[in-house]
Amino acid sequence: MITIAIDGPAGVGKSTVSKALATRYGLAYLDTGAMYRAAAWWCLHHDVDLGEDGDDYAITQAVYDCFMKGHFRIGLRPDDQHVWADDTDITEAIRSHEVSSSVSRVARIPEVRRILIEAQKRTIREEGDPGSVSHGAGIVAEGRDITTVVAPKADVRVLLTARPEVRQRRRSKENARSNAGSDNVAARDKADSKVNNFTTAAPGVTTVDNSDITLEQTIDAFVRIVEAAYEAKGEVPHGPWQPSQAAGTDTTTGDAGKAASSAATPTPSLSASGTPADTDRDEAGEESPLDSSSLDDYDLNDEDRSLLDEARQDDQTASAAHHTREDGFAGVLAVVGRPNVGKSTFVNRVLGRKAAVVDDRPGVTRDRVSYEADWDGEDFLLVDTGGWEAGVEGISSAIASQAEVAISLADAVLLIVDARTGMTDMDQRIVRLLRRSGKPVTLAVNKIDDSSDDWQAADFWKLGLGEPYPLSSLHGLGVGDVLDACLDMLHKSDHSSPLLSTGDYPRVALVGRPNVGKSSLLNQLSHAERAVVNDEAGTTRDPVDEVVEIDGRRWVVVDTAGLKRKMHKVQGADYYSSLRTQAAIERADVCLVLFDVSEPIAEQDLRVMSKAVDAGKAIVLVFNKWDLLDEYGHQRIERLYASEFTRVTWARRINLSAKTGWHTNRLSDALEEAYRSWHRRIPTSQLNSFLGKIQLAHPHPLRGGKQPRILFSTQAGTCPPRFVLFTTGFLDPTYRRYIERQLRENYGFEGTPIQISVRVRERKKN
């Protein structure tokens, strides 16, 4: 597999060059710009205000719904770049002037970028699969952030650029041809530069300036770069796209921008003519399966045919994509310092996204939070910590303890101090703590926002830690020098830290409203004080990842911030914590939804549960603090469960006590079953045989003198299991629920939602 990432500003011809390369080498092609345009179109279509005074949270929520709930699909073949929102083809609509003028407003919201970046990463990753659109050959991805954030380890990384006046001239001609209206590239540059840098190449990225060369010469330059990459990898180019290569392959991304790479078992060719009774019985009078040939007389679109082609292939069990750490892992770097010196701001700057919650108030970061980062081609684990203080009590003491644990587990430490407040007694006490730990330390003096003020760092030589590096985490000044020093220090360290990578195991998110016991459960499962626990609601701010071994199986358990009742009224750190919790749900495989049964279960508890279900995640219900209830309390909960949890009767429920550990051993089986069900696939022949039998036993009721019937079905995906039914008419919701119940009774699917979509198709007109 080869990955080609092309970045650059508007009007340089990224799309044209990318399509040419994808066509030449038989690669998939991902137009990330179309994803941002689709996000803008979706917001406009749903009356979300995209003006300067528009609500960022409302925009983020709309984009989340579009991309994470299966409403968005995009073609991945270079010769088929259709974009759909549900069943609507919006390929032309997203090129309108209204959408073009709104894209920057949507794209500059960090949380929107995070949602789309995750979808892009997943799509790129899956093109290495033999069952993908490119059959494992690879992908060309173009757009902002591609070479730095989305695919920093791509085999080919190029910044394609041109002078502004040249780009404006090209864009004007393009818009005139497509009647898309005017598009000011200078204005686009100004708006987009607020969230990323596309004017200069990042380290390791090749720059191609095509201001004074033709399109053909530009493509030739890229061909030379790509050929060199193939030679370096010792691979032979896949060869150009041929019409036959696409046969039987789903060429679009599915839910959350993910390409459907699974297929189905061939089904026998059976007669599909006559009445329903004739259709479902063979010559011997026995039940026969539904068959795709029954659709021959019906009008089908390209998407239908893609699903049917997929159903004719052999079933492939989709396995979760796990990512292992490469040999170039440099080690674990802990970032420590007093409260509010800018540790989380530095972490966000290194990661290139707002991963850590940042607020002007001290004490926002409370747990130690690990992030996988890279610098200059080397991977390392970056650990953000809460502010360390001596002689404090309560939650501040727990925060300081977490920072001390981070130091003990790290290979090296970065101490950040504040130039504005100068050297304090607390800084000197932290230095004494670091010396006792024996860890190598780099010293950075933050909040020096102008290079002319670098002299302010000189005073910190007195701490005796060697050269103090001037730094502005907010503006990015000096970050490279600090990271160079830290990596040099990691290379010389003993590498005594344990393996802390979280990319190799299934992810389990602990979710619920504030103070239901999520952090206590994480501590119980990890057998350590991994997360800060306090009676104060909302203690957890950042999602906390921990690799936990349960009955011999390792999971990444993610403690999240509690989701509050009125998200639209939440501000500051709590607002960003809630967004990160939603992101943690989206990234999870299984959600443990916690309820505090010692208090009345509120509407907000059910809303949190619904968020996990709507995200399509496997679910395990955890009724915490069960040991605090008497017999009357048990009866009260059972009555409430019977009346309020009808939506998730398929989810396992565990009654436990996170504080004492009572019954936490029961989580293992529930997690395993939910995870297996989430990935379960039914072979197409078996599925159609099953549906043929239940349709014969219980046909759909007559509606208006007609009886809708199922012609054929296929499982379109897993995680969660998603089924598509081709029918002659609309199926009532009650009949859909009947089908779902039958699927669960016969195939399990315990712990996972099931998505069933119906495609009504009419007979061809003579």
Side-chain angles (χ1 to χ4, degrees), residues 168-189:
Q168 182 63 65
R169 185 168 61 251
R170 293 171 180 171
R171 181 50 61 92
S172 297
K173 290 181 179 179
E174 178 184 342
N175 291 338
R177 286 194 300 269
S178 60
N179 296 318
S182 62
D183 188 4
N184 190 313
V185 297
R188 287 273 303 274
D189 290 352

Side-chain angles (χ1 to χ4, degrees), residues 490-710:
L490 284 172
H491 294 157
K492 299 175 182 177
S493 66
D494 294 333
H495 281 202
S496 58
S497 63
L499 181 64
L500 298 175
S501 175
T502 59
D504 304 331
Y505 313 111
R507 298 182 67 85
V508 179
L510 306 179
V511 298
R513 62 181 173 85
N515 222 26
V516 295
K518 299 182 292 297
S519 297
S520 296
L521 182 57
L522 174 59
N523 289 343
Q524 188 65 236
L525 294 175
S526 61
H527 305 293
E529 294 301 312
R530 180 60 185 86
V532 173
V533 175
N534 193 273
D535 291 335
E536 172 190 333
T539 299
T540 302
R541 290 273 172 70
D542 296 279
V544 179
D545 296 7
E546 180 74 359
V547 178
V548 173
E549 186 169 315
I550 306 175
D551 289 348
R553 172 71 176 266
R554 288 187 175 182
W555 306 80
V556 178
V557 180
V558 185
D559 184 19
T560 67
L563 289 171
K564 298 189 176 181
R565 181 179 178 185
K566 296 181 179 180
M567 261 294 296
H568 64 283
K569 293 186 177 180
V570 175
Q571 298 179 344
D574 289 335
Y575 168 77
Y576 289 105
S577 295
S578 298
L579 288 181
R580 282 160 176 76
T581 295
Q582 292 182 9
I585 292 174
E586 186 273 323
R587 294 178 61 205
D589 301 312
V590 185
C591 287
L592 291 183
V593 186
L594 277 76
F595 301 85
D596 180 355
V597 295
S598 67
E599 298 180 358
I601 292 180
E603 182 180 357
Q604 177 61 9
D605 290 296
L606 301 178
R607 281 188 184 140
V608 173
M609 178 183 70
S610 294
K611 285 183 180 293
V613 175
D614 292 342
K617 304 303 175 182
I619 302 290
V620 175
L621 305 178
V622 176
F623 281 16
N624 190 26
K625 306 183 185 181
W626 190 263
D627 56 326
L628 301 181
L629 297 182
D630 55 16
E631 186 60 31
Y632 172 78
H634 292 165
Q635 295 175 6
R636 172 179 62 82
I637 293 298
E638 294 298 342
R639 289 194 298 270
L640 184 68
Y641 178 75
S643 62
E644 299 295 335
F645 288 79
T646 54
R647 186 184 182 190
V648 289
T649 53
W650 40 264
R652 285 275 291 273
R653 170 187 143 198
I654 307 295
N655 304 326
L656 54 76
S657 171
K659 186 175 182 180
T660 65
W662 179 75
H663 278 184
T664 53
N665 61 318
R666 297 185 176 183
L667 286 173
S668 176
D669 289 342
L671 285 171
E672 288 283 1
E673 177 60 27
Y675 185 71
R676 284 197 302 268
S677 297
W678 200 54
H679 287 275
R680 185 162 295 147
R681 171 172 291 280
I682 304 175
T684 301
S685 58
Q686 190 179 125
L687 174 65
N688 283 279
S689 176
F690 168 73
L691 289 177
K693 291 176 182 178
I694 68 171
Q695 182 173 237
L696 182 65
H698 297 281
H700 193 286
L702 288 172
R703 291 291 182 264
K706 297 182 179 180
Q707 186 179 56
R709 59 191 178 91
I710 303 170

Side-chain angles (χ1 to χ4, degrees), residues 81 174 190 227 239 436 439 487 491 537 545 553 754:
Q81 285 296 292
E174 178 184 342
K190 183 177 180 181
E227 296 285 355
R436 287 197 300 271
K439 305 288 183 175
L487 281 177
H491 294 157
D545 296 7
R553 172 71 176 266
I754 292 177

Side-chain angles (χ1 to χ4, degrees), residues 286-348:
E286 300 296 329
E287 289 117 355
S288 63
L290 305 174
D291 180 56
S292 59
S293 63
S294 61
L295 293 170
D296 291 345
D297 296 331
Y298 289 82
D299 285 325
L300 303 177
N301 58 31
D302 291 341
E303 185 181 359
D304 295 338
R305 294 188 182 91
S306 176
L307 278 172
L308 296 175
D309 286 340
E310 185 178 88
R312 294 187 183 104
Q313 298 179 25
D314 293 333
D315 281 281
Q316 299 172 352
T317 302
S319 59
H322 299 317
H323 312 291
T324 57
R325 179 171 286 158
E326 298 180 358
D327 295 336
F329 178 63
V332 180
L333 178 68
V335 182
V336 302
R338 293 184 291 106
N340 216 29
V341 296
K343 298 182 294 297
S344 295
T345 304
F346 174 81
V347 169
N348 287 341

Side-chain angles (χ1 to χ4, degrees), residues 363-377:
V364 171
T365 303
R366 293 171 174 175
D367 301 286
R368 66 182 192 273
V369 187
S370 302
Y371 303 97
E372 296 193 3
D374 68 271
W375 175 250
D376 198 22

Side-chain angles (χ1 to χ4, degrees), residues 422-442:
M423 188 168 57
T424 67
D425 179 62
M426 197 63 67
D427 291 327
Q428 295 176 343
R429 298 183 72 167
I430 295 175
V431 170
R432 288 196 288 272
L433 170 69
L434 293 174
R435 283 183 177 141
R436 287 197 300 271
S437 73
K439 305 288 183 175
V441 181
T442 298

